[in-house]
Amino acid sequence: MRRGDALAHRGFTGVPTTQDGGADTMRPGALRGAARGRNLDGLAHTLFLRLSPVIASVVLATQVVIAWVNYGDQIRLSGERAQMMADMTARSLARPGWTADHASQLQALALDPAFRFALLRDASGSVVARLGEEPRGRNFERIQVAAEIEPGATAQPAGTLTLVLSAEGLRANAEKQFVMVLGASLALILAFALALRLAVGRHVLAPLRRLLSAMAQVEHKQWVTVDLAGRRRPSREIADISAAFNRMVEGLRSGDEARHLLAELERTHAQLAEANGLVMESLGYARRIQQAVLPGASALRGAGFEVAVLWEPLHVVGGDYYWIEAVDGLGIVVVADCTGHGVPGAFLTLIVATALDRILHDQGLRRPDAILAALDGVVRARLRQEMGVSEGASDDGLDCGICVVDRAGGTLHFAGAGLALTLLADGETTRIKGRRHGLGYRRTGREEPFAEVALPLRGGQTFFLMTDGVSDQMGGASRRLLGHRGVAEILEKHRHLPLAEQVAALEAALAAHRGPEPRRDDMALVAFRPMVG
């Protein structure tokens, strides 16, 4: 963490720092900055000027639309009523001699308060009668309809009735509604202005005044904070600003302590970096030692074997180990998966490497089951597991698979403890399992005896000894384990490739299956093809 990071973390972002310990920052008026010379009450006035025209326009437009719709509905209803009156009057006139007897029907129309004018014409268009004053002026002040009198003997209309009603009452009512709309809009604007002023004053202006008062005291190095409690609770934004101000004051108050802490953090960071460098350097050196203990893939090539190896620890060093050697005309391949990974697993691999060297060269054992039994005894003795459950005894061990190949006799002998041998031949994959229990660990009394399996050698066979770190690959769209079946499918897909390319294709397929998922364990695989003469 750099000095600027610590200042930013404590809320000092944007506050200038000087060599005089903050004298420029604490000069009178520095903190109030943008608030100097401003009238906080102007905020409510500004909000009112900005918002009231919008609200007034929306309210007024809404009310005008409502009034216009109501006026249109009234005009429509009045027109329907006028048409109904004209139709009823026309039906009552539809009788012989109506041209001479029509006064009562017209007088009935005149009883309507909105009646202004009625005109009767016969079939030839001649005026038969008229009642009222013929309307003049603007069309929107009257409602005019017409109705035909039923046909006579000639199947032509016997005449027409024209009726005019006044719409002045509707217009006056619409004007009254418009005046009421204006009054309601003004009342809403006044109520909004009052509510805005009260709300801004309570939740914005009052908290800002408290904040400015606290700033004035901080300018004189009086470390006071803003109290956010009380009836006049600030808005969320003002509360955030006040909280940031309080953090800044606390940072100023503990400035010396912060500088000391920063210096201590820098010293601690340097110590941690140095310690981490030493650890990584030690792990790198340990990896070189572990790789030096591992045999090369060419150890069996001179003995008539094609060999490919995949060894990848989860961390810098790991707990997977393999052994390849040609002894007395026999090819010996060993793969072991020790408890854990990283440094603890690497320690166990050194025990296994030392034990195998003595078992193969000092004791001269060549049967895989005998080698497993001897290795089990060495591991138990080294880890003090023969002492039973007691202080200092461990519950660690390893899974191991051993192949002893006799090319002259045309036989492969396999024995496993927790690991299986995979055979790929004639397009089919066969998995030969060993004993379920591994080597070492505390005895349970249910351990199976070590047993070997003899397999005849023939052309086209490829053998794979691998740890479970190869098959335990989590990934894919469903986030599932690849498993031994998935590994077998990959090997069958690339069975025609040279062995090194087949192992490389397997490694690439494993990485593709994992995708973004990390590996979960060390990986070790030895693939070999004995050349059968």
Side-chain angles (χ1 to χ4, degrees):
M1 183 180 293
R2 297 183 299 273
R3 186 182 179 210
D5 297 334
L7 294 176
H9 178 70
R10 290 183 170 269
F12 281 76
T13 303
V15 178
T17 58
T18 59
Q19 298 296 330
D20 60 356
D24 288 345
T25 303
M26 301 310 302
R27 71 182 186 274
L31 289 178
R32 284 181 289 176
R36 178 182 294 275
R38 291 180 178 268
N39 184 2
L40 293 178
D41 292 335
L43 177 61
H45 180 69
T46 302
L47 290 176
F48 174 76
L49 292 179
R50 294 288 189 271
L51 297 180
S52 58
V54 178
I55 295 177
S57 300
V58 172
V59 172
L60 184 61
T62 303
Q63 296 295 335
V64 167
V65 169
I66 294 175
W68 178 259
V69 171
N70 290 336
Y71 178 71
D73 290 340
Q74 292 177 4
I75 290 292
R76 179 178 57 80
L77 293 174
S78 299
E80 292 176 355
R81 185 171 68 87
Q83 187 65 52
M84 182 179 63
M85 292 171 58
D87 292 339
M88 293 177 63
T89 303
R91 284 196 294 271
S92 67
L93 290 172
R95 65 180 184 277
W98 66 272
T99 55
D101 185 13
H102 52 264
S104 59
Q105 287 82 357
L106 293 182
Q107 291 297 329
L109 290 175
L111 295 176
D112 191 286
F115 176 80
R116 289 293 180 271
F117 179 72
L119 178 65
L120 275 176
R121 295 179 184 272
D122 57 13
S124 63
S126 300
V127 176
V128 176
R130 66 175 66 214
L131 181 64
E133 183 180 355
E134 187 173 355
R136 297 178 182 179
R138 295 167 292 187
N139 292 331
F140 64 84
E141 294 182 347
R142 62 177 179 267
I143 299 173
Q144 180 173 330
V145 296
E148 293 181 351
I149 301 174
E150 293 183 0
T154 60
Q156 295 295 328
T160 59
L161 170 64
T162 302
L163 176 63
V164 178
L165 299 182
S166 174
E168 295 178 356
L170 299 179
R171 186 193 66 181
N173 186 35
E175 291 175 352
K176 181 179 179 182
Q177 288 186 0
F178 183 73
V179 172
M180 293 176 63
V181 165
L182 288 179
S185 301
L186 291 176
L188 286 175
I189 293 173
L190 292 176
F192 165 75
L194 179 60
L196 178 65
R197 184 172 184 82
L198 291 176
V200 172
R202 178 180 294 272
H203 300 292
V204 178
L205 299 183
L208 281 179
R209 291 191 184 96
R210 284 186 290 171
L211 181 59
L212 289 177
S213 177
M215 286 182 178
Q217 297 182 62
V218 170
E219 288 173 356
H220 296 88
K221 297 187 179 181
Q222 298 176 10
W223 310 117
V224 297
T225 57
V226 179
D227 185 11
L228 301 181
R231 292 181 301 172
R232 297 186 177 183
R233 300 185 59 185
S235 64
R236 182 173 58 83
E237 293 78 6
I238 301 298
D240 293 341
I241 295 173
S242 301
F245 174 78
N246 291 341
R247 290 195 300 269
M248 184 192 70
V249 172
E250 292 296 333
L252 289 173
R253 180 185 301 170
S254 57
D256 291 337
E257 181 182 353
R259 285 192 292 271
H260 290 313
L261 288 175
L262 181 58
E264 184 65 27
L265 284 174
E266 290 177 350
R267 286 193 296 271
T268 304
H269 182 268
Q271 293 173 358
L272 288 176
E274 182 180 359
N276 183 68
L278 292 175
V279 171
M280 295 306 299
E281 183 180 354
S282 299
L283 287 176
Y285 188 64
R287 181 182 178 90
R288 290 196 297 270
I289 294 175
Q290 189 174 32
Q291 287 178 325
V293 175
L294 295 172
S298 60
L300 289 178
R301 289 177 183 172
F305 287 82
E306 183 184 0
V307 181
V309 175
L310 169 62
W311 181 78
E312 188 61 43
L314 181 62
H315 303 303
V316 182
V317 293
D320 284 3
Y321 178 77
Y322 66 90
W323 180 288
I324 304 173
E325 187 178 8
V327 182
D328 299 335
L330 302 176
I332 299 178
V333 179
V334 181
V335 172
D337 184 359
C338 300
T339 301
H341 43 74
V343 175
F347 273 110
L348 282 177
T349 63
L350 296 179
I351 296 176
V352 173
T354 304
L356 282 176
D357 183 69
R358 291 186 178 181
I359 291 170
L360 294 176
H361 297 98
D362 295 345
Q363 301 179 24
L365 298 181
R366 297 294 180 265
R367 290 175 53 88
D369 53 348
I371 296 174
L372 282 179
L375 184 59
D376 182 52
V378 173
V379 171
R380 292 183 180 278
R382 293 290 178 86
L383 299 181
R384 301 181 182 180
Q385 293 171 339
E386 297 296 346
M387 301 169 58
V389 181
S390 61
E391 183 178 357
S394 71
D395 191 23
D396 301 313
L398 65 144
D399 295 336
C400 186
I402 300 178
C403 291
V404 178
V405 183
D406 183 2
R407 292 181 61 245
T411 307
L412 181 145
H413 300 270
F414 166 74
L419 290 187
L421 173 66
T422 301
L423 168 62
L424 180 60
D426 301 327
E428 296 183 355
T429 303
T430 306
R431 192 164 178 261
I432 300 121
K433 298 181 180 179
R435 192 181 79 162
R436 290 183 299 173
H437 300 90
L439 306 181
Y441 305 106
R442 294 173 184 170
R443 294 188 185 276
T444 63
R446 297 189 299 272
E447 289 81 6
E448 302 171 359
F450 297 104
E452 73 169 26
V453 178
L455 300 174
L457 296 178
R458 62 178 185 272
Q461 292 177 320
T462 304
F463 299 92
F464 300 89
L465 267 180
M466 69 186 79
T467 61
D468 57 5
V470 177
S471 57
D472 291 350
Q473 304 280 340
M474 182 71 73
S478 58
R479 294 191 74 254
R480 61 178 181 85
L481 283 176
L482 180 63
H484 295 286
R485 180 177 298 179
V487 174
E489 292 175 356
I490 297 173
L491 295 176
E492 290 176 5
K493 181 179 179 180
H494 303 284
R495 64 180 181 273
H496 300 298
L497 295 176
L499 204 53
E501 297 181 12
Q502 188 173 355
V503 172
L506 172 63
E507 186 176 8
L510 294 178
H513 176 77
R514 288 194 307 271
E517 292 284 338
R519 279 197 301 117
R520 307 171 63 185
D521 201 357
D522 305 321
M523 291 194 305
L525 177 143
V526 177
F528 58 94
R529 291 174 181 166
M531 300 177 184
V532 181

